[in-house]
Amino acid sequence: MRVLYVCTELFPLLKTGGLGDVSGALPPALRDAGCDVRVLVPGFPAIRSGVLPSKLQQAPAISLPTRYGPDLAGRGVTQPPVLQQASLPGSGLATYVLDVPALFNRPGNPYYDSHGDNGVRFALVGWAAACLGQGLDAQWQPDVVHCNDWHTGLAPLYLRQMAMPGPPRAASVFTIHNLAYQGIFPRSLFPELGLPDYLFTIGGIEFWGQVSFMKAGLQAADRITTVSPTYAREILEVEQGCGLDGLLRGRSSMVSGILNGVDYRVWSPSHDEVLAHPYDAESVELKAQAKAELQRKLKLQARPNAMVFGVVSRLTEQKGLNLVEAMADELVQMGGQLVVLGTGDAPLEHAFVRAAARHPGQIAVDIGYDEALAHAIMAGCDVILVPSRFEPCGLTQLYGLRYGALPLVHRVGGLADTVVDATPDNLNAGRATGFVFDEFSAPALRGALKRAFELHAQPAAWAKLQKTAMQQRFDWREAAIQYVALYRSMKPEAA
Ligand code: ADP
């Protein structure tokens, strides 16, 4: 089974969130599951410097046909777009880098539309994927093109539309990592996409008078997946369907949820380079050292018994952290400490900074992006807070489980699928792994916090909960097996 995995970020080279983690881990897991996997990624600076030095000498650059596809005229593209062939550092996976410096070789966030040309440049990503799916590389044609989020949404559509002579086209899978980000562009973009006019309709990619890349992927992909079974159900309803629930309901037999995994090579306290004192489920008492180090590092009072709550997150409406901010004073009054690492919406950033100023030594806030600190927080905190309003899968609660930082989460999406609430029944049965609240409200969060404090005051019960949490496994191997089954359902003839 030959699989082209199309993504726009790739840990450890380029990451803005969970998609980077997934793209770094799933392709190698698919290879381990027996697939012949290649990756397609745009040549952003971090990708160019990380991947291009390993250009495959035997594999020349492949020119993209530009007679059809997105119109690059007036976009400063002086050289024909090419796919450089290289191998990924670490995994060694063969990789096509979409090398168009005028469009991608720009510093900063890969999705930031500094030149007002995001529509065209991400259309080109879709076009490149579709061309490969149609056999552009004479040496390797994928059976399946696996696309991720709106940035790649045009790939399934171009694949359907193209009529290149040659072998049959690849099948397509479109994975939704977050339905709320849709890649919406003005109507004026449409003529530049090289698509027939009839596609600018409600049955095509028109969305309230604009162009939607997400809709393109959902309309045209042979299969749609999302990153947890619960989110796969939630997006079929109005509340979480982001205006696309009708379309998704119409295609519901093609929609499924496959839970993300954890790259335990990166996220394990037993071999985490950030930790001076590694630990595992059998030596969880060493976690106290990580806590002391975190308190020292972030200038929190050195209180071994204080319950430390951690947040590692984008600070956006989705993540529900306004509830945490609203509870910050109370949390300190209850004897807790709070550590927040994140960037995002300015009002929320400021509110957390003010909370830290009100409670020096008890609340520490780092507005920024810091991979090492994210690991130190997982290791040093007792509870990781993930009260998201909605959450397709969520990875930080899974990292929390592994590090014995018990997740406290809103029962939604992937959070509902991965955390078992510490109810008396679940505690007795030895299956509890964290704290779950149902209603998205400050009182409901308060209730869960109180339960966490009560249990923390019982060291033996807490230790048992931690042990159960740390023993959970969300292996990419499992997810890869499910993806392969999905690929096979479309391409039974592929080896
Ligand atoms: P999302 O993709 O919606 O942002 P996920 O929970 O799926 O949320 O993934 C978030 C990823 O980004 C995790 O690996 C988390 O550790 C990381 N992350 C988020 N914010 C920061 C930050 N400020 N510094 C370091 N890592 C962060």
Side-chain angles (χ1 to χ4, degrees), residues 118-133:
N118 261 6
V120 168
R121 58 193 195 128
F122 288 105
L124 193 67
V125 176
W127 176 247
C131 291
L132 286 167

Side-chain angles (χ1 to χ4, degrees), residues 392-414:
C393 177
L395 291 173
T396 51
Q397 85 280 11
L398 302 181
Y399 303 156
L401 288 171
R402 183 65 165 159
Y403 281 71
L406 302 180
L408 190 155
V409 305
H410 178 211
R411 195 187 306 279
V412 75

Side-chain angles (χ1 to χ4, degrees), residues 274-423:
V274 169
L275 305 186
H277 304 279
Y279 62 92
D280 60 19
E282 305 310 319
S283 57
V284 70
E285 65 284 353
L286 288 176
K287 192 170 158 63
Q289 312 256 20
K291 182 172 179 170
E293 275 160 36
L294 185 69
Q295 288 171 325
R296 197 164 42 243
K297 188 177 167 75
L298 299 180
K299 302 191 173 52
L300 292 175
Q301 254 177 32
R303 290 198 287 131
N305 294 328
M307 212 169 147
V308 177
F309 293 83
V311 169
V312 178
S313 181
R314 291 185 290 117
L315 302 180
T316 62
E317 171 75 11
Q318 174 200 340
K319 298 295 182 178
L321 294 165
N322 52 320
L323 296 186
V324 172
E325 190 274 322
M327 288 292 302
D329 295 337
E330 249 179 273
L331 197 148
V332 172
Q333 278 154 22
M334 289 192 264
Q337 294 183 332
L338 175 65
V339 173
V340 177
L341 168 64
T343 53
D345 299 344
L348 195 54
E349 290 183 352
H350 295 156
F352 275 122
V353 169
R354 283 197 302 273
R358 284 197 303 277
H359 300 285
Q362 309 305 338
I363 297 184
V365 173
D366 189 322
I367 301 299
Y369 190 94
D370 186 335
E371 197 71 31
L373 183 55
H375 283 247
I377 292 174
M378 289 298 163
C381 73
D382 299 291
V383 170
I384 187 88
L385 296 170
V386 196
S388 307
R389 196 179 276 279
F390 70 92
E391 192 57 79
C393 177
L395 291 173
T396 51
Q397 85 280 11
L398 302 181
Y399 303 156
L401 288 171
R402 183 65 165 159
Y403 281 71
L406 302 180
L408 190 155
V409 305
H410 178 211
R411 195 187 306 279
V412 75
L415 302 172
D417 291 341
T418 55
V419 182
V420 181
D421 192 20
T423 60

